[in-house]
Each structure stands twice: as C-alpha cells, then as structure tokens.
Amino acid sequence: MTADEMKQAVALAALELVKPMLDKDAIIGIGTGSTANHFIDALKPYAGDFAGAVASSDASAERLRAVGVDVVELNSAGTLPVYVDGADEFDPHFNLIKGGGAALTREKIVAAASQTFICIVDGSKQVGVLGEFPLPIEVIPMARSLVARELVKLGGDPVYREGVVTDNGNVILDVHNLSIVDPKGLEAKINNLPGVVCNGLFALRGADQVLMGTPNGVESLIAK
Ligand code: 5RP
C-alpha cells in the first residue's frame, strides 16, 4: 500500500464517522493537504445532503466547489460539529504539528470553531516527541528577521520558506531542530512573539480523534 492509498483509506474512514452528521443544516470544517483532498473528493456523492463546508484554505475551497459542496464563511456558520484535517506529525497525546501546506492559521481557526477534530494521517506522521518535522510559523512579513532571532533564542533553527505567501498575505518560517517536550508551553510562548500570526503547534487545541492509515488498514487511535 502506498502512502497515498493509506491517505485515501483514512479519508474514507473519516467519511463513515461524518456521514451521520450530514443533514440539511450541517456545516462541517475541512482542512488542507493531500489527505484532506481525499476527504473532499469522497464527499462528492453527498454534496447535496448537507448545507456546506468551511474551508481552511483557498485551495480546499476551490476543490470543495468542484465536487459540488457549498463553501460557507466561518462568520456565518457558528460552531461546527466536526473538523477533518491531516497533520505533519502527531504525538501520543494527539498534539500536532501542522502547516506543511502553509494553511496553519485558518486550520487553527476552523479547528477552534469545531466541536470535534478528526485528524486523518498515514503512519509516517506518528512520533513519540514532536519536532522532527520543522515547525511552521506564519509571520507578518516585516517581522520575519525579528521573529527568526527570537526563535533562535528558543533553541530552534528557523528557515524562511522562500516563494511562499500564505492565503493571509504572510510568510512562513520553518523551525528545525526543536525537540518539543512541552507542546502547550511552546505554542503559547511562540504565540506571544510580536509579529507571529500563528504557529503550527496544535496542542492547546489538539485532535480529538486520530485515524491512522497503515499497510494493514485504518487504526482509530486512543489518546494517552
Ligand atoms: C497543511 C497541513 C496539512 O494537514 C499537513 O501538511 C499534512 O498534509 P498531507 O495530508 O498532504 O500529508 O497542515 O497546512
């Protein structure tokens, strides 16, 4: 089984969990990335059965419209019953690193607006301690160097993601060489740096459920 086949399998497993929620008033939250794309594609036969979706990126919004799902502004949607999205890493407590696709800020907003966050991943994303995947930070462009210096003080090695502008018009720093033993503390600390819009640690609001694709099928994991 390829990684992409595992991503498709977890997307289909997530659909089975979400299907009972899809009634005419339901608005669901949708993430960004190749795994979320499989979930969006799987929604196609059900597009007429629910009110719509809040997307965490322009790319996901476009893909949702292409399969016939109405895209709704979060401000008109209220609290969402469920958010389905991938991750770059998850730990045993379901703390996540996200933002490999540069959509972390809107992802964090939609996750915060949702009652349940179902995280869909292939097995390569499972780690004991977060930080092998460089931590993405969305930064206001004029603060890039200032924030980078502060991140070095926190023990990281920030690298500017050249050529990438987020949907919000900002830039991304990817922080290498962090061993994240206190994800909630580090998330709060980085949030406090002037110029930081958002960081890719999803620990203060992590996932509620992780579906992981393996060569032997999809595992529904229990948080430790
Ligand atoms: C985008 C994300 C994605 O969820 C993350 O990068 C995982 O992507 P993929 O499903 O393609 O492996 O956080 O900002």
Side-chain angles (χ1 to χ4, degrees), residues 7 31-37 56 83 85-89 97-105 107 120-122 124-125 133 136 161 202:
K7 289 178 181 192
T32 298
S34 56
T35 320
N37 281 346
S56 68
Y83 178 57
D85 196 3
D88 299 301
E89 277 186 354
I97 287 183
K98 291 185 47 56
L104 60 158
T105 300
E107 290 172 340
I120 51 176
V121 289
D122 66 88
S124 68
K125 311 292 181 69
F133 189 92
R161 203 184 293 181
F202 284 53

Side-chain angles (χ1 to χ4, degrees), residues 24 26-28 30 43 46-55 60-61 63-73:
K24 65 175 180 40
I27 300 173
I28 62 174
I30 306 280
L43 282 173
Y46 307 94
D49 298 350
F50 61 106
V54 174
S60 289
R63 199 172 183 105
L64 282 160
R65 287 190 196 99
V67 301
V69 175
D70 281 344
V71 175
V72 180
E73 288 295 323

